[in-house]
């Protein structure tokens, strides 16, 4: 940081220089710390979200020997297990897209799909169940860098959720006395 001042005579100048390296490093450290906290919460949420469909798949797998010949069970198995596997895949893909380093190429993105993915990823970091409404028409698209847009949107959503959680902690839950 620097400042330039003229002396009272106006003929000379004084240059004040301040080293702000430590201050900038501290800002970066705080940013990294918050980013890591958010990422850790997301990872914990992803682990929890993956665990649920895996338990369902495991239950179906354990029943195969006992009920494998039952046509009703077979139909349920054929419908339910692939849906749960797809759910896990979507969750992992969303996390990968968030963590992927930015690419320079742009792509055509469906805004409604992008928002849904980002909202589910952001909610994994939430400690409370905060309702959010989002009305994005299905036919809206944007030409942009998908990874950068995802990261920005998730960051905005996570910050908004954290702000609401902070306010709820200060004011108390609705209905609390």
């Amino acid at each position: 940081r620097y400042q330039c001042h003229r002396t009272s005579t106006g003929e000379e100048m004084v240059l004040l220089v301040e080293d702000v390296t430590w201050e900038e490093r501290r800002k970066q450290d705080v940013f990294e710390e918050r980013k890591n906290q958010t990422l850790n919460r997301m990872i914990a949420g992803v682990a929890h979200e993956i665990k649920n469909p895996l338990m369902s798949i495991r239950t179906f797998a354990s029943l195969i020997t006992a009920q494998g010949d039952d046509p009703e069970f077979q139909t349920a198995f054929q419908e339910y297990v692939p849906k749960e596997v797809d759910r896990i895949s979507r969750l992992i893909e969303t996390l990968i897209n968030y963590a992927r380093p930015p690419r320079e190429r742009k792509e055509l993105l469906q805004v409604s799909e992008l928002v849904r993915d980002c909202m589910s990823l952001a909610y994994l970091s939430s400690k409370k169940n905060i309702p959010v409404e989002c009305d994005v028409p299905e036919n809206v698209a944007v030409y942009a860098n998908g990874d950068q847009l995802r990261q920005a949107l998730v960051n905005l959503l996570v910050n908004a959720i954290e702000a609401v959680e902070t306010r709820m902690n200060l004011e108390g839950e609705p209905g609390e006395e």
Side-chain angles (χ1 to χ4, degrees), residues 57-105:
I57 292 168
R58 183 181 197 161
T59 301
F60 267 102
S62 69
L63 294 173
I64 245 174
T65 36
Q67 297 180 355
D69 295 334
D70 179 9
E72 193 175 309
F73 174 80
Q74 288 176 358
T75 302
F77 186 90
Q78 289 171 346
E79 289 178 18
Y80 194 75
V81 171
K83 284 181 185 177
E84 292 298 286
V85 170
D86 289 345
R87 184 172 149 201
I88 293 169
S89 281
R90 281 191 308 273
L91 192 58
I92 291 171
E93 186 64 31
T94 302
L95 189 60
I96 289 169
N97 285 337
Y98 177 75
R100 185 179 292 153
R103 297 180 311 226
E104 291 305 314
R105 70 177 178 82

Side-chain angles (χ1 to χ4, degrees), residues 94-162:
T94 302
L95 189 60
I96 289 169
N97 285 337
Y98 177 75
R100 185 179 292 153
R103 297 180 311 226
E104 291 305 314
R105 70 177 178 82
K106 294 181 180 180
E107 57 190 313
L108 189 63
L109 302 165
Q110 292 300 320
V111 175
S112 59
E113 183 181 324
L114 177 76
V115 169
R116 271 193 305 272
D117 286 349
C118 292
M119 284 179 71
S120 49
L121 187 56
Y123 268 92
L124 294 175
S125 70
S126 177
K127 293 177 185 168
K128 298 181 183 202
N129 190 8
I130 300 169
V132 172
E133 290 183 26
C134 182
D135 186 18
V136 180
E138 292 295 322
N139 60 349
V140 176
V142 64
Y143 189 67
N145 181 312
D147 294 332
Q148 289 179 341
L149 196 53
R150 269 183 202 87
Q151 189 163 8
L153 187 53
V154 167
N155 288 340
L156 284 171
L157 289 166
V158 166
N159 289 343
I161 290 168
E162 286 176 356

